[in-house]
Each structure stands twice: as structure tokens, then as C-alpha cells.
Amino acid sequence: EPYELEMLRDPETAAAYLNITASDEDPAAFLQALRKVTKAMGGISRIAELAGLNRQQLYRTLSKNGNPEFRNLQKLLSATGLSINVVTAEQKRAKYKVRRKPGNRVQR
């Protein structure tokens, strides 16, 4: 995990990682990835402070059962130097080479 966290300190790597996990059918996968990125970018406490969010709330938000409000997700991503960007599915597949398996599952 230390190597993974080191890799996720790079904003482009973190963005690609989050984009790939956002394609997963399980929303908990994205929250787990976002928690790792948050940890890599300075930790929950530091990012909560930068985002203007309560630290305990952020822990709950990034838990397996978390359900972040859109505005809090925007604040969190902004504090890590990232943002939400909507693209066509084709653009995403071309950029991240994500292919769909039969049954709509993501193949990496």
C-alpha cells in the first residue's frame, strides 16, 4: 500500500484511478478509491480542513456505506486538486482503455 499511496500523490494518476473506479457497478469501490486518494494527498484531517468539511463527517462519507452529497464531493475533490469532468463514454474508453465485458462489467 505505501507504493500505491505514493503513486496516487500524482494528480493525473489519482484522476485516472478515480475515473476507472467510477465505472465500477459498486459505488463503494469509488468511495474506497477516493479514500485512498485522500490519504495519499495528505490524509483525512488535512483534506477535511482544506475542503472546509468536518473530519468525522468525511470519515463517514468515505466509509463503505458512505453517501456523499454532491457539493461535499466537489469540495473534497477540489481539496485534493481534482474536479469532476463529464465526458462521453467513448472518450473515457479511449483515454483509459476501459472495455466493457458482456453483462456491462468493467474490464481493466
Side-chain angles (χ1 to χ4, degrees):
E1 185 173 288
Y3 177 73
E4 182 179 35
L5 292 177
E6 183 179 327
M7 296 287 294
L8 291 175
R9 285 189 188 104
D10 174 62
E12 288 191 24
T13 301
Y17 180 59
L18 291 173
N19 276 315
I20 289 170
T21 59
S23 299
D24 198 298
E25 291 178 13
D26 181 10
F30 179 78
L31 291 178
Q32 181 181 3
L34 187 54
R35 186 177 182 123
K36 285 182 182 179
V37 169
T38 300
K39 188 175 178 181
M41 296 289 192
I44 298 281
S45 295
R46 178 173 180 269
I47 297 302
E49 183 179 333
L50 290 171
L53 300 171
N54 178 287
R55 183 177 55 86
Q56 294 296 65
Q57 175 190 9
L58 187 53
Y59 273 110
R60 284 191 302 274
T61 296
L62 295 176
S63 72
K64 284 186 178 183
N65 297 323
N67 188 14
E69 291 182 13
F70 187 73
R71 114 186 92 189
N72 289 342
L73 183 59
Q74 287 178 304
K75 288 179 181 179
L76 174 58
L77 289 171
S78 178
T80 60
L82 303 172
S83 67
I84 294 172
N85 183 30
V86 177
V87 298
T88 67
E90 185 58 37
Q91 288 171 320
K92 185 175 179 181
R93 280 192 293 273
K95 184 168 183 173
Y96 299 107
K97 297 182 177 111
V98 174
R99 297 181 306 274
R100 294 270 177 198
K101 290 183 184 178
N104 219 16
R105 301 280 305 181
V106 174
Q107 178 181 15
R108 297 179 197 139

